[in-house]
């Protein structure tokens, strides 16, 4: 379940991009879950045509997924269509500029193609070609169809772009393995339902990342054309023969999972840089640059040959020995396996977890002081109830300070406490144990949503003042740019807690 401020942030994004009417429909789905079209119309009291058009806009931009759901039993069993809002995809609209920066660094020649899909949601290849050609400035030579196709297939092969999911997958809850007794609907079940629908709609990898076939008349010249490399790569994805007429109607979209993984790698690489020793930066950068596979989004694996190749392109990298590089990688917590001793793996999940704890501990330190930071870190590290006297002995803090600090953290829902009856002969009737609350991260994420919402509202307010023609236009533009930069940086924390843990 998305928090209140998370919903408000998502609805604000949709309102800014598509208007208040579409935002109302999105808000209804985020608050009430999967609904039929008549139910949405009834709740919003809007004309059916307006609601239907709003749903089509949200589906076009990958913010809503339709699915079929059975109703009734036996001969009376019928199928109805439900619509489910995909909160993650709505939130990704906040970071389109980051997605473009990823492509700009990796495949600059394909940036205009990615930009087209980000702006339009879903497009056929022919629509992308028309848009790409229309973006070429006058007086500049326009790209050929096959050149655009080559750049597009590179995107598909690298998994930046994918074929759109099934328009309306069939979901039957009776086919799911579940206990016979009636279960109470919980928060986890609501989330798992959304994930199940997304997974059911997703195509198999060979179909999802099958590239566009080249014209048959060009096949004889394939060996003389650089696009042959991508055609060969297509076979690795298990591509299959496709009817050309049907292929022209295929819709394509951005693969958010790929971009999320790229930003996750960049975040972890940048986060560790300030802690690196002198002279190790090139090795750390080369390790991430040599990562070519992303099947496991929780780790980065690079071969030693790939690292050496990237390192040789950097200043001073060619002079480094293999022993030096291996020792540095081991110091950076990169590991090797018995199956492939020539490859090093870095655990992204572990680092993300450490960064999340550091963010929350930093907030506790700023809000409550060094003593609270020390106590809270102890409770998080222990991961189990800790008795008051043990906290005092471990942290070496004054008893009164510990008691007052624990009370402050408990009052603000960062920690929880429990009374335990003492054993006979100890001299105490009872004692208290303390633990970090399981919900403190959810509370922290909601605060992040709230801050992002406030920043967006401030940006929109300044934009309105600029439209009205304020006298201090230069000052307002500078202030707007500062707020946009602050929102971009704040989104790094939002991704750390909401996206990178998936």
């Amino acid at each position: 379940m998305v928090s209140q401020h998370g919903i408000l942030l998502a609805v604000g994004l949709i309102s800014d991009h598509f208007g208040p009417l579409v935002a109302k429909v999105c808000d209804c789905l985020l608050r009430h879950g999967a609904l039929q079209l008549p139910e949405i119309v009834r709740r919003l009291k809007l004309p059916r045509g307006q609601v239907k058009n709003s749903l089509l806009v949200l589906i076009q931009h990958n913010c809503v997924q339709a699915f079929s759901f059975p109703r009734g039993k036996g001969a009376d069993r019928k199928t109805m269509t439900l619509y489910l809002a995909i909160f993650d995809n709505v939130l990704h609209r906040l970071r389109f500029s980051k997605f473009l920066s990823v492509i700009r660094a990796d495949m600059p020649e394909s940036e205009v193609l990615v930009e087209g899909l980000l702006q339009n949601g879903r497009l056929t290849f022919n629509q992308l070609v028309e848009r790409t050609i229309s973006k070429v400035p006058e007086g500049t030579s326009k790209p050929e169809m096959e050149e655009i196709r080559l750049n597009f297939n590179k995107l598909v092969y690298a998994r930046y772009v994918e074929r759109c999911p099934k328009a309306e997958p069939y979901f039957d809850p009776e086919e799911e393995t579940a206990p016979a007794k009636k279960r109470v609907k919980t928060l986890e079940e609501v989330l798992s339902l959304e994930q199940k629908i997304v997974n059911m709609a997703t195509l198999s990898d060979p179909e999802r990342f099958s590239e566009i076939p080249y014209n048959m008349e060009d096949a004889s010249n394939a060996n003389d054309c650089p696009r042959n490399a991508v055609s060969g790569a297509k076979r690795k994805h298990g591509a299959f023969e496709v009817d050309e007429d049907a292929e022209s109607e295929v819709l394509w979209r951005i693969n958010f999972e790929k971009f999320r993984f790229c930003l996750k790698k960049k975040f972890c690489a940048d986060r560790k840089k300030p802690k690196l020793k002198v002279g190790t930066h090139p090795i750390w950068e080369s390790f991430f640059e040599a990562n070519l596979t992303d099947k496991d989004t929780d780790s980065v694996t690079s071969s030693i040959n790939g690292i050496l190749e990237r390192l040789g392109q950097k200043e001073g990298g060619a002079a480094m020995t293999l022993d030096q590089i291996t020792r540095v990688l081991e110091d950076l917590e990169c590991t090797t396996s018995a199956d492939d001793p020539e490859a090093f793996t870095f655990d992204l999940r572990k680092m993300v977890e450490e960064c999340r704890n550091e963010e929350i501990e930093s907030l506790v330190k700023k809000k409550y002081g060094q003593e609270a930071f020390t106590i809270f870190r102890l409770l998080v590290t222990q991961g189990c109830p800790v008795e008051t006297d043990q906290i005092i002995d471990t942290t070496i803090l004054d008893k009164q300070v510990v008691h007052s600090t624990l009370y402050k953290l408990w009052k603000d829902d960062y920690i929880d406490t429990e009374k335990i009856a003492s054993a006979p002969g100890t001299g105490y009737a009872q004692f208290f144990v303390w633990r970090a609350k399981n919900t403190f991260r959810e509370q922290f994420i909601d605060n992040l949503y709230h801050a992002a919402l406030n920043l967006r509202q401030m940006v929109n307010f300044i934009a309105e003042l600029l439209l009205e023609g304020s006298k201090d236009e230069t000052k307002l533009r500078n202030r707007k740019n500062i707020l946009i930069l602050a929102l971009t940086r704040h989104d790094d924390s939002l991704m750390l807690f909401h996206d990178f843990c998936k």
Side-chain angles (χ1 to χ4, degrees):
M1 179 69 69
V2 183
S3 68
Q4 176 69 16
H5 291 116
I7 292 175
L8 291 174
L9 175 62
V11 172
L13 287 167
I14 294 297
S15 180
D16 290 345
H17 293 179
F18 308 116
L21 184 61
V22 180
K24 283 184 180 179
V25 175
C26 184
D27 179 76
C28 181
L29 292 175
L30 286 172
R31 293 184 186 278
H32 303 288
L35 296 174
Q36 289 181 274
L37 176 58
E39 179 65 14
I40 302 172
V41 171
R42 185 186 68 80
R43 287 179 180 273
L44 296 179
K45 298 179 182 179
L46 291 172
R48 182 185 179 92
Q50 291 183 356
V51 174
K52 186 176 181 180
N53 289 338
S54 298
L55 285 171
L56 290 174
V57 170
L58 291 169
I59 292 172
Q60 169 70 22
H61 289 272
N62 309 300
C63 298
V64 163
Q65 174 65 54
F67 66 97
S68 299
F69 191 85
R71 181 175 60 180
K73 295 183 178 180
D76 297 331
R77 192 177 178 89
K78 296 181 181 179
T79 300
M80 57 183 179
T81 300
L82 296 175
Y83 299 91
L84 179 70
I86 311 299
F87 175 75
D88 287 359
N89 289 0
V90 177
L91 206 61
H92 283 322
R93 305 192 67 82
L94 190 62
R95 50 190 70 110
F96 279 0
S97 60
K98 293 183 179 180
F99 294 167
L100 285 175
S101 67
V102 169
I103 283 296
R104 198 175 297 124
D106 192 16
M107 299 181 183
E109 68 279 2
S110 302
E111 182 181 350
V112 66
L113 295 170
V114 172
E115 183 184 39
L117 290 174
L118 288 174
Q119 291 180 355
N120 297 280
R122 304 180 177 194
L123 292 175
T124 65
F125 175 68
N126 290 336
Q127 289 173 328
L128 271 172
V129 170
E130 292 176 4
R131 183 189 180 281
T132 302
I133 294 175
S134 68
K135 290 290 181 179
V136 177
E138 292 185 9
T140 308
S141 60
K142 296 183 177 180
E144 296 292 333
M145 175 84 160
E146 290 307 299
E147 181 186 349
I148 299 174
R149 191 192 303 267
L150 173 63
N151 292 334
F152 184 80
N153 278 345
K154 286 180 181 178
L155 289 171
V156 178
Y157 177 66
R159 302 199 170 196
Y160 286 116
V161 170
E162 64 179 0
R163 293 171 186 253
C164 286
K166 300 170 187 174
E168 193 175 321
Y170 181 76
F171 175 71
D172 188 352
E174 292 184 2
E175 295 178 0
E176 300 289 325
T177 56
K181 63 180 181 178
K182 188 175 181 181
R183 296 178 299 172
V184 179
K185 291 186 178 180
T186 63
L187 179 67
E188 288 75 20
E189 286 179 3
V190 174
L191 287 175
S192 63
L193 171 64
E194 177 179 329
Q195 192 57 51
K196 284 176 184 176
I197 299 302
V198 171
N199 291 341
M200 290 182 68
T202 303
L203 304 174
S204 63
D205 277 4
E207 185 178 3
R208 183 181 174 192
F209 300 109
S210 178
E211 295 135 12
I212 297 177
Y214 294 96
N215 294 335
M216 294 302 295
E217 59 267 21
D218 293 330
S220 58
N221 299 324
N223 294 329
D224 301 326
C225 182
R227 65 169 177 257
N228 189 48
V230 180
S231 296
K234 177 174 64 176
R235 288 191 291 274
K236 295 179 183 178
H237 281 308
F240 44 85
E241 293 296 329
V242 184
D243 180 69
E244 290 188 9
D245 292 334
E247 189 69 15
S248 63
E249 299 299 322
V250 171
L251 288 171
W252 299 84
R253 72 173 190 177
I254 291 299
N255 178 18
F256 291 122
E257 292 177 10
K258 171 69 176 185
F259 283 96
R260 183 167 56 195
F261 179 61
C262 290
L263 292 175
K264 184 177 181 179
K265 286 197 301 182
K266 184 179 183 302
F267 176 88
C268 290
D270 293 344
R271 192 67 175 250
K272 203 160 183 103
K273 280 182 180 179
K275 303 176 183 178
L276 296 179
K277 297 178 181 178
V278 178
T280 60
H281 285 77
I283 299 175
W284 184 240
E285 292 173 356
S286 299
F287 169 75
F288 277 91
E289 291 171 3
N291 173 244
L292 299 177
T293 60
D294 54 359
K295 292 181 180 180
D296 179 13
T297 58
D298 290 327
S299 63
V300 174
T301 301
S302 300
S303 66
I304 190 64
N305 291 332
I307 298 171
L308 288 170
E309 182 182 347
R310 301 303 190 286
L311 193 58
Q313 300 170 4
K314 300 183 182 296
E315 184 178 354
M320 294 184 182
T321 64
L322 184 60
D323 288 340
Q324 285 178 308
I325 297 169
T326 303
R327 192 161 51 250
V328 169
L329 289 173
E330 290 174 351
D331 290 342
L332 293 172
E333 300 181 1
C334 296
T335 59
T336 57
S337 64
D339 296 334
D340 189 3
E342 297 295 316
F344 287 84
T345 300
F346 181 76
D347 190 348
L348 294 178
R349 179 187 288 272
K350 180 181 177 182
M351 183 164 186
V352 165
E353 185 67 20
E354 291 173 356
C355 291
R356 293 173 75 185
N357 289 336
E358 287 175 5
E359 288 279 335
I360 295 174
E361 290 167 3
S362 175
L363 175 67
V364 170
K365 185 175 181 179
K366 290 178 181 177
K367 192 172 182 180
Y368 304 102
Q370 179 65 40
E371 294 82 3
F373 165 76
T374 304
I375 294 172
F376 187 75
R377 167 169 275 192
L378 172 65
L379 296 177
V380 170
T381 305
Q382 291 289 333
C384 62
V386 183
E387 200 260 324
T388 308
D389 288 342
Q390 184 182 345
I391 296 174
I392 295 171
D393 295 339
T394 306
T395 58
I396 322 177
L397 293 172
D398 182 74
K399 187 175 182 179
Q400 280 299 117
V401 172
V402 170
H403 280 285
S404 62
T405 303
L406 286 171
Y407 176 75
K408 290 177 185 177
L409 292 174
W410 171 78
K411 187 179 179 181
D412 288 348
D413 287 332
Y414 281 95
I415 61 175
D416 207 352
T417 186
E418 183 181 355
K419 292 180 182 179
I420 305 293
S422 299
T426 59
Y428 297 98
Q430 60 188 12
F431 62 93
F432 289 88
V433 293
W434 308 82
R435 66 165 66 86
K437 286 190 94 171
N438 294 329
T439 57
F440 72 87
R441 284 183 178 171
E442 285 74 13
Q443 179 186 351
F444 187 81
I445 293 173
D446 188 55
N447 290 336
L448 291 176
Y449 289 143
H450 195 180
L453 177 64
N454 288 341
L455 285 170
R456 283 197 61 82
Q457 289 175 343
M458 292 169 68
V459 170
N460 291 341
F461 176 71
I462 293 177
E464 290 177 3
L465 291 179
L466 288 171
L467 288 175
E468 293 173 0
S470 175
K471 295 179 180 179
D472 300 327
E473 184 173 336
T474 303
K475 186 183 293 185
L476 286 174
R477 288 190 183 279
N478 291 337
R479 189 174 298 174
K480 180 183 176 183
N481 291 335
I482 291 172
L483 288 171
I484 291 174
L485 180 60
L487 180 60
T488 303
R489 291 178 176 174
H490 179 77
D491 183 55
D492 290 339
S493 296
L494 201 56
M495 293 192 74
L496 173 63
F497 281 87
H498 180 77
D499 297 275
F500 293 164
C501 56
K502 297 182 179 181

